Amino acid sequence: MIDLHCHILPNIDDGSQSLSQSLTMARCAVKDGIHSIVATPHTLNGVYTNPAEEVATHVANLQEVFSKNNIQLQLYPGAEVQLCPNMLERINSGEAGTINNSGKYLLLELPSQTIPKGIKDEIFTLKLNGITPIVTHPERNSIIQHDPDILYELVNRGALVQITAMSLTGEFGEFVKQAVEMMLKQRVVHVIASDAHSHDNRPPVLSHAVEIAAKILGSSEEAKYMVNDTPAAILSGDIVEIPEPVHYNSKHRFFTKFF
Ligand SMILES: [Fe+2]
């Protein structure tokens, strides 16, 4: 499996807090059957700045430590980039990195309580310039939780979607679990990733979530695709094949539409 979203680099954000913890996380990932991890530190979120060049250096350093410790885990550079104005310029200047620095896919973090009005334009601009945004853990956004159609619209505009493994396994609570189940049924989920921040509280483990996703989707193959084929294509900068999203007509919509 490939973990496309993981805060495994030590001491550069709120993820791993030491080299020793990064090694424990790596061993935990390998034990779960993960062979590759994209290191995605927070970037441009008002707290952390992790420019692409620096992330690449951190990745190379940690990879070397893995080799010395006989850990068979391939690391790739990336970033979890908070939605902000002028994203394209910031990517082009190296302030924010794309996945594997291919310039093709970007992990895009939304605020947890709002959907910024500018999201439509930012997605349009990125797509126009060959960059596909991958919206991270929308199931943890309180607006999207109440209106699944927002995600449907984002996917129709060309975004991909990544959910967090622990949302499926229930650690974020029943409400988040229900939201993520709905998203899977709507076929608006493309990647399952750990978004791991440590070896204990939120570890780099995917297998349990994949089993649960397989039951919800009624297809083990479809669930495995989200941790194998799709992230592999993203890493290579190739086109990702996605299912047709299903429109969800909520009778109890709490919020007005944003588009
Ligand atoms: Fe994250």
Side-chain angles (χ1 to χ4, degrees), residues 171-186:
E171 280 84 352
F172 286 99
E174 191 54 33
F175 194 62
V176 170
K177 194 170 180 341
Q178 283 173 13
V180 87
E181 283 179 13
M182 174 59 73
M183 290 168 190
L184 280 167
K185 286 174 184 165
Q186 268 189 293

Side-chain angles (χ1 to χ4, degrees), residues 5-7 13-14 40-42 79-81 107 109 136-137 140 162 164 194-197 202:
H5 180 171
C6 186
H7 299 259
D13 68 357
D14 60 347
T40 54
H42 290 289
E80 181 177 17
V81 187
L107 270 196
E109 184 180 30
T136 62
H137 43 69
R140 285 152 54 192
Q162 172 256 309
T164 299
S194 75
D195 191 13
H197 279 65
R202 206 185 316 166

Side-chain angles (χ1 to χ4, degrees), residues 189-243:
V189 175
H190 310 103
V191 173
I192 301 171
S194 75
D195 191 13
H197 279 65
S198 64
H199 63 282
D200 43 17
N201 279 340
R202 206 185 316 166
V205 170
L206 297 174
S207 55
H208 188 198
V210 172
E211 282 171 24
I212 295 171
K215 284 181 189 151
I216 295 165
L217 293 162
S219 163
S220 167
E221 198 175 294
E222 226 181 308
K224 286 178 182 168
Y225 211 78
M226 295 177 183
V227 291
N228 291 303
D229 306 63
T230 299
I234 290 168
L235 264 178
S236 305
D238 293 335
I239 290 169
V240 171
E241 305 264 340
I242 65 165

